[in-house]
Every structure is written in C-alpha cells, then in structure tokens.
Amino acid sequence: MQVAIGGHTFLVEGDVVQCMLQGDFTAQHARELFVLLEQVQADEGSFVILADISQMGTIDAAARRWMALESRRFACRATAMYGASLPARTVITLLLRSLALFRPTLMPLHFAKTEQEARLWLEAQRPAQQIG
C-alpha cells in the first residue's frame, strides 16, 4: 500500500513502513502518518520504519511536540534511516531522545549510508526482537 502525505510518500510492505520524506514535515503530516501507523499496527501487531531522509527539510516544533506525546501508543520495534546529513541526524537524534521520555523502552535507531545497508540492519534486528 502506498500513501502520499503532503510531499512525502509512505509504502507499507508487511510490517515495514518505508518513508520517503521530501521537504518539511508538519504537525498535520504527523497526524496523517499516525493514522497510517495505527492501521499497520492493527494489521501487523508492530512495525519497523525504513526512512529515506535525503530530501527531508525541517520538522516543525508542533510536529515534534505532537509526535513526542502521541508516539507512546505505537509498537515500533526499530527505525533505520539513510541519506541523512549531519544536521538531520542531529535533529532526529534529539527528537528520538525526547520521545524516549514518554516511552518505557528505547527503540533501536540506525543511520545508514544506503537503503540496502538500512534494510540489512533492520533484518538483523528481527532475531533479537523475536526472542524477547
């Protein structure tokens, strides 16, 4: 299933939510994305995120606040991102640290250079997740 939200594209492949972020990410985009994530979680039980952030702009403050408060209801097992610039990695790392304040456990996060590397890392997370 492929969904467009603003200029962003999301492709759901089983329990993998692939995000192609292009341009700025707003609170409205976050709300629409979370509707999609609710559907994936209902279908799959949990999910992983594979994100191409090479074309991502900024994440506005309202989106960061909303995601921090609302993300605790999701069972995201891991996130792998690729194509990130240093400033993007810094912003995302800070965002995920703020999300950790509202989540009982930290989800694994990996920044990869390529999509293939990101996918391989996500696959490597599966055995550890299935044991616990």
Side-chain angles (χ1 to χ4, degrees):
M1 164 180 38
Q2 185 169 320
V3 176
I5 299 173
H8 316 291
T9 303
F10 301 90
L11 179 62
V12 178
E13 303 167 328
D15 68 344
V16 177
V17 179
Q18 186 172 1
C19 310
M20 284 83 50
L21 302 176
Q22 296 185 350
D24 296 340
F25 194 78
T26 67
Q28 182 60 38
H29 297 152
R31 286 189 284 276
E32 292 179 43
L33 171 59
F34 278 29
V35 169
L36 174 63
L37 296 178
E38 285 171 344
Q39 181 180 351
V40 174
Q41 185 164 289
D43 293 345
E44 300 292 332
S46 63
F47 55 89
V48 297
I49 294 176
L50 173 66
D52 175 357
I53 57 175
S54 61
Q55 302 298 312
M56 184 182 79
T58 62
I59 302 172
D60 72 29
R64 292 191 304 268
R65 270 192 308 278
W66 197 85
M67 289 189 297
L69 292 173
E70 297 294 323
S71 68
R72 65 183 136 201
R73 61 188 161 140
F74 293 110
C76 180
R77 298 187 317 271
T79 298
M81 299 181 176
Y82 61 96
S85 65
L86 179 59
R89 286 194 312 262
T90 302
V91 168
I92 290 166
T93 300
L94 291 172
L95 172 62
L96 292 175
R97 285 188 180 161
S98 71
L99 296 178
L101 297 173
F102 300 97
R103 295 178 62 98
T105 58
L106 266 177
M107 94 181 140
L109 169 66
H110 179 70
F111 289 103
K113 290 182 181 177
T114 65
E115 179 180 349
Q116 180 181 9
E117 180 187 330
R119 284 184 180 276
L120 288 171
W121 182 84
L122 283 174
E123 278 303 312
Q125 301 309 300
R126 288 190 188 280
Q129 295 161 357
Q130 293 170 355
I131 293 169

